[in-house]
Amino acid sequence: MEPVRVGVIGIGNMGWHHARVLSLLRDAELVAVADTDPQRLAMATDQFGCQVVHDYRELLHQVEAVCIAVPTLLHHQVGMDCLRAKLHVLMEKPIAATQEEARDLNAAAEEHQQLLHVGHIERFNPAFRELVKVVSNEEVVVLESRRHSPHGDRANDVSVVLDLMIHDIDLVLELAGAKVARLAAAGGRSGTGPIDYVNATLGFSNGVVASLTASKMAHHKIRSLSAHCRNTLVETDFLNHTLCIHRRAHQWYSADHGELIYRNDGFIEEVSTTSIEPLYTELENFLRCVRGLEASAVDGQQASRALQLAHWIERSVDNPTMHLDQPI
C-alpha cells in the first residue's frame, strides 16, 4: 500500500515527537508540519525535510490524516476544521477543554465518517499491555496510580488533572471495567495558576476502588500503577516498562527434627516487556485504523468519558466529597 499522507499541527514538545516518529515509519509520509513559531519550523525543515507552514489550514488539502498537538484550548477549533475537511484525526489528550467541545468533535467525526483517535499514549506502553493480560485472570480490588513530575514550562494552561492524571483516569477505567459511582478528591496549588497536586479516589459500581495521585510539585518523575488483587499485587513502572508480580505462597520449611528454619510468604515474578517506544505503537495503530485494518484503542467516546471524570475531580477538589446522581 501507499504510505498514509500525514501532517502534524503543533510541533511543541509532543508534536515534535509525532513528527519524528512519523518521519521514520514506512507506512507514513510526513507531508508537512504547521506551527506559529518560525524557529521551530526552521528546525523541522532541517530535521525532517518536509514542508512547513505557519497556518495549519494550508496543509489540510494535502494530507489524509493529521496529528494535532496544539494547546488544549485550541483542540476544538483545529479538530473541527480538520474533521470538516474530511481528515482522520489523532488528537493529543485530552480530547478537548470541555464536554461540549468533546461532543462537537465526536459528532463531526460521525457526520463526516472520519476517525477520531485520542492520544492516551499509556494504553500503548508495553508494561500496561502486559498488566492487562495479568489482571484478566485476577480479581482486582484496588488500583493505585502515581504520576509525578517536576514543574515544567509545558501544559501550564491546564490543571495537573487534565495534563497528567487523565492518563491514569483512562487506564483505571479500562482496568476496572465498570462505571464510577462515587468520587472524592483533594488538591492544592503552588502558586496562583491551575491545580498542581491532586489525590482522587474513585469508587466503581463493581466494588473496585482506584486511588490516583498526580503532581507537578515533585523533584523527579514517577509513572506507576499498581493493581491490588485478591491473591497478587502487580506493580507497573511505565518509565522503565517493567512489571513485577507479587504472589502469595505460604510455605513452611523445617529441619528433620521439626525446628522451623524459615517461612516463605510469597514470591516475585519480574516480567520482561519490550523496549519499543509507546508512540511508535500508537502511531502504527492510528495508521492501521486509517486503512480500516484495526479499531482505535481510544476513540472519541472513551476519551470523553475520561474528560468528564477529570472535570468532576477538578470540581471535587473544592468540594471534597461528591455523590454522583448518575454513574459515569
Side-chain angles (χ1 to χ4, degrees), residues 137-149:
N137 297 314
E138 299 286 345
E139 183 182 351
V140 177
V141 180
V142 175
L143 298 166
E144 182 182 11
S145 74
R146 291 193 301 159
R147 190 168 293 264
H148 297 180
S149 289

Side-chain angles (χ1 to χ4, degrees), residues 122-141:
E122 293 289 30
R123 287 282 195 104
F124 298 91
N125 192 302
F128 177 73
R129 292 191 156 192
E130 197 62 38
L131 174 63
V132 171
K133 296 177 186 176
V134 173
V135 300
S136 65
N137 297 314
E138 299 286 345
E139 183 182 351
V140 177
V141 180

Side-chain angles (χ1 to χ4, degrees), residues 75-95:
H75 281 195
H76 178 259
Q77 175 189 333
V78 178
M80 291 296 289
D81 285 343
C82 293
L83 290 167
R84 287 167 178 158
K86 295 188 180 299
L87 300 179
H88 299 291
V89 170
L90 189 160
M91 180 75 75
E92 263 306 315
K93 60 81 196 164
I95 183 175

Side-chain angles (χ1 to χ4, degrees), residues 19-187:
R20 171 181 60 82
V21 174
L22 286 167
S23 70
L24 299 174
L25 290 175
R26 65 179 182 179
D27 291 334
E29 178 187 352
L30 179 60
V31 175
V33 299
D35 202 281
T36 57
D37 187 327
Q39 185 175 2
R40 284 202 292 264
L41 291 178
M43 292 171 60
T45 300
D46 293 339
Q47 182 72 29
F48 309 121
C50 63
Q51 182 183 350
V52 297
V53 297
H54 184 268
D55 187 337
Y56 69 88
R57 289 168 292 191
E58 295 179 27
L59 65 77
L60 300 186
H61 67 283
Q62 303 180 52
V63 298
E64 304 167 64
V66 291
C67 297
I68 301 175
V70 298
T72 302
L73 296 178
L74 297 177
H75 281 195
H76 178 259
Q77 175 189 333
V78 178
M80 291 296 289
D81 285 343
C82 293
L83 290 167
R84 287 167 178 158
K86 295 188 180 299
L87 300 179
H88 299 291
V89 170
L90 189 160
M91 180 75 75
E92 263 306 315
K93 60 81 196 164
I95 183 175
T98 67
Q99 277 301 118
E100 292 75 15
E101 292 180 351
R103 280 195 292 269
D104 282 350
L105 290 167
N106 279 311
E110 184 175 356
E111 177 186 354
H112 299 290
Q113 297 184 333
Q114 300 301 305
L115 171 68
L116 175 56
H117 173 100
V118 183
H120 286 274
I121 192 170
E122 293 289 30
R123 287 282 195 104
F124 298 91
N125 192 302
F128 177 73
R129 292 191 156 192
E130 197 62 38
L131 174 63
V132 171
K133 296 177 186 176
V134 173
V135 300
S136 65
N137 297 314
E138 299 286 345
E139 183 182 351
V140 177
V141 180
V142 175
L143 298 166
E144 182 182 11
S145 74
R146 291 193 301 159
R147 190 168 293 264
H148 297 180
S149 289
H151 202 284
D153 296 327
R154 52 165 298 279
N156 291 323
D157 59 329
V158 294
S159 76
V160 70
V161 180
L162 288 179
D163 182 27
L164 298 181
M165 185 179 282
I166 196 164
H167 282 294
D168 297 310
I169 293 172
D170 173 65
L171 299 183
V172 299
L173 286 174
E174 179 72 7
L175 290 171
K179 291 186 176 182
V180 177
R182 63 189 185 278
L183 66 86

